[in-house]
């Protein structure tokens, strides 16, 4: 949104809530093995919080996430996902076979670490893609 | 004893939710319908969650329910306010003003 939409009430509530949204996004990412959550949900929460700040406070406050930056973040997420998969192929396993990655520890730990890396890539990709979709929907050109 | 208090709170919450639903159907206008939905939903959900907290006792789950209740207490009236504001700025007149 080019000009800000928010009233005083909306502005104050956003200021109170957005830090908790960001923390909850990271929580959903790193706690996704044990409880509902995971990479996609964490990415949706992170992207939606940035979109919400943008909608309420206007174009002057976008936290530096321009159109190019959003595309870059989405590409980095996809690159992390595919890179971990191909790294497993380089170390002699199948695609996305985390067990063969050269980390210290027993195999379930290595697999958990690989899953966390994959989920981080998914989070970045989804957050960036959501911001790109939002920018396209409101017709922002830069 | 805790179960009785929890049942009373959940029943009160469901009562307010039903009142909100009836108001959503029966009231004549966008603004009045939003009035019914926003206020009654907030109070009903808060009472229901308070009942669940009493039923659960004092542990991590009730702490999570408390966080959800705080979130609803902040976010639900704000969402109602935003809907009101968007409708008013889009030019929707209240009933009886033309």
């Amino acid at each position: 949104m080019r000009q800000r939409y928010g009233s005083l009430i909306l502005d104050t509530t956003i200021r109170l809530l957005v830090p908790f949204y960001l923390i909850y996004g990271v929580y959903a990412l790193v706690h996704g093995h044990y409880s509902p959550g995971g990479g996609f949900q964490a990415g949706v929460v992170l992207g939606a919080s940035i979109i919400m700040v943008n909608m309420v406070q206007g174009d002057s406050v976008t936290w530096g996430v321009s159109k190019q930056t959003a595309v870059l973040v989405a590409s980095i997420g996809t690159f992390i996902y595919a890179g971990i998969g191909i790294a497993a192929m380089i170390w002699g396993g199948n695609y996305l076979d985390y067990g063969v990655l050269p980390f210290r520890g027993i195999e379930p730990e290595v697999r958990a670490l690989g899953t966390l890396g994959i989920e981080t890539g998914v989070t970045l990709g989804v957050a960036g893609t959501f911001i790109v979709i939002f920018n396209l929907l409101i017709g922002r050109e830069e | 004893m805790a179960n009785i208090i929890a049942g009373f709170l959940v029943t009160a919450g469901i009562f307010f939710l039903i009142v909100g639903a009836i108001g959503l159907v029966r009231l004549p206008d966008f603004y009045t319908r939003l009035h019914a939905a926003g206020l009654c939903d907030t109070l009903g959900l808060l009472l229901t969650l308070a009942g669940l907290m009493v039923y659960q006792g004092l542990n991590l789950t009730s702490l999570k329910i408390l966080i959800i209740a705080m979130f609803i207490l902040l976010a639900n009236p704000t969402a109602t306010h935003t809907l009101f504001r968007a409708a008013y700025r889009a030019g929707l007149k209240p009933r009886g003003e033309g």
Side-chain angles (χ1 to χ4, degrees), chain A residues 30-49:
Chain A
V30 300
H31 211 258
H33 304 296
Y34 312 111
S35 67
F40 188 86
Q41 284 84 356
V44 168
V45 171
L46 292 179
S49 55

Side-chain angles (χ1 to χ4, degrees), chain A residues 31 72 83 93 112 120 135:
Chain A
H31 211 258
L72 188 65
T120 309
N135 285 339

Side-chain angles (χ1 to χ4, degrees), chain A residues 1 51 54-55 130-140:
Chain A
M1 301 291 163
I51 288 173
N54 193 357
M55 282 174 74
F130 265 73
I131 297 171
V132 169
I133 290 173
F134 173 72
N135 285 339
L136 288 177
L137 279 180
I138 67 170
R140 173 186 298 165

Side-chain angles (χ1 to χ4, degrees), chain A residues 15-104:
Chain A
R15 279 170 195 270
L16 274 175
L17 283 181
V18 158
F20 294 102
Y21 287 164
L22 295 175
I23 289 175
Y24 184 71
V26 178
Y27 167 79
L29 169 63
V30 300
H31 211 258
H33 304 296
Y34 312 111
S35 67
F40 188 86
Q41 284 84 356
V44 168
V45 171
L46 292 179
S49 55
I50 291 176
I51 288 173
M52 199 165 56
V53 169
N54 193 357
M55 282 174 74
V56 171
Q57 303 208 332
D59 243 357
S60 57
V61 186
T62 53
W63 291 352
V65 186
S66 64
K67 200 172 179 179
Q68 284 87 2
T69 317
V71 173
L72 188 65
V73 167
S75 309
I76 287 173
T78 315
F79 181 74
I80 289 174
Y81 192 104
I84 291 177
I86 292 175
M89 284 172 78
I90 288 174
W91 268 281
N94 289 320
Y95 186 68
L96 292 178
D97 186 7
Y98 321 119
V100 299
L101 289 176
F103 293 125
R104 202 176 292 238

Side-chain angles (χ1 to χ4, degrees), chain A residues 5-7 9-10 13 17 21, chain B residues 64 71 74 78 81-82 85-86:
Chain A
Y5 172 76
S7 59
I9 297 172
L10 197 54
T13 313
L17 283 181
Y21 287 164
Chain B
K64 286 181 183 176
F71 171 74
L74 278 174
T78 311
H81 161 77
T82 312
R85 189 176 150 84

